Amino acid sequence: MATGDAQLFEDTFTITKYDQSKYDRVARITGTSTDNQTTMSLDINIELFPCLVGENLQVVLATTLSLDGNRDNEERGWRDVRGESTLADMYDYVCHGKIYRFEDGSEGQTLRAYISFGGLLMMLDGPYAKLTPLRVDNTYLLVKK
């Protein structure tokens, strides 16, 4: 399996809204993809990854952090890389979570995917073609500016 096969979703989003009203260290950011087809809502730890309205974020969802695309070894934790380079080395903010729900979006032309990263939530709303690779499964979120 090549690294490209491990990547389920990749897009660049411009942050359009920033809401830190509920928690001290978490903000819910909303963004629109550069092609204006996909919207994202993401709860993000702003102490670890501060961001502002207008910034661009490259967002990737992947099945593994392994550069060769092989699934993570279940016996070793995902953080136990023993000096190996991983996909996480190329990004500033990395979370492990689960894609847990899908809904039809507006007028049946789009799909909504819901993902939880230990309580920090993400929602993607976009065309079926872009979100079709997503399945109810564990995933990694990788973000960089």
Side-chain angles (χ1 to χ4, degrees):
M1 179 187 267
T3 304
D5 296 336
Q7 289 188 6
L8 302 172
F9 175 84
E10 181 174 10
D11 212 336
T12 301
F13 291 87
T14 301
I15 300 172
T16 56
K17 187 176 172 190
Y18 180 97
D19 178 10
Q20 192 188 346
S21 62
K22 294 194 184 221
Y23 302 102
D24 291 335
R25 294 180 289 231
V26 175
R28 177 159 287 171
I29 59 173
T30 304
T32 304
S33 64
T34 52
D35 64 4
N36 289 320
Q37 291 187 333
T38 308
T39 58
M40 169 190 73
S41 173
L42 175 64
D43 296 342
I44 197 159
N45 184 322
I46 57 171
E47 282 187 333
L48 299 175
F49 192 76
C51 47
L52 302 168
V53 170
E55 288 184 324
N56 289 327
L57 302 179
Q58 183 182 353
V59 176
V60 172
L61 293 174
T63 57
T64 181
L65 295 177
S66 175
L67 291 176
D68 63 7
N70 291 326
R71 283 282 199 168
D72 297 324
N73 185 339
E74 296 292 327
E75 296 169 8
R76 290 176 25 193
W78 67 275
R79 293 186 207 180
D80 185 13
V81 293
R82 298 184 183 148
E84 303 166 20
S85 292
T86 68
L87 196 57
D89 297 333
M90 296 181 249
Y91 291 85
D92 302 317
Y93 187 79
V94 180
C95 295
H96 182 259
K98 182 164 182 110
I99 302 169
Y100 66 92
R101 189 174 84 200
F102 293 94
E103 289 179 355
D104 286 331
S106 58
E107 301 173 18
Q109 299 299 312
T110 61
L111 182 67
R112 279 195 185 133
Y114 295 90
I115 308 154
S116 177
F117 302 97
L120 297 178
L121 303 177
M122 177 182 204
M123 188 275 300
L124 290 169
D125 186 348
Y128 275 96
K130 284 178 91 171
L131 301 180
T132 298
L134 302 179
R135 300 279 183 261
V136 173
D137 198 1
N138 292 325
T139 190
Y140 292 96
L141 167 70
L142 302 107
V143 182
K144 68 179 172 181
K145 292 182 183 181

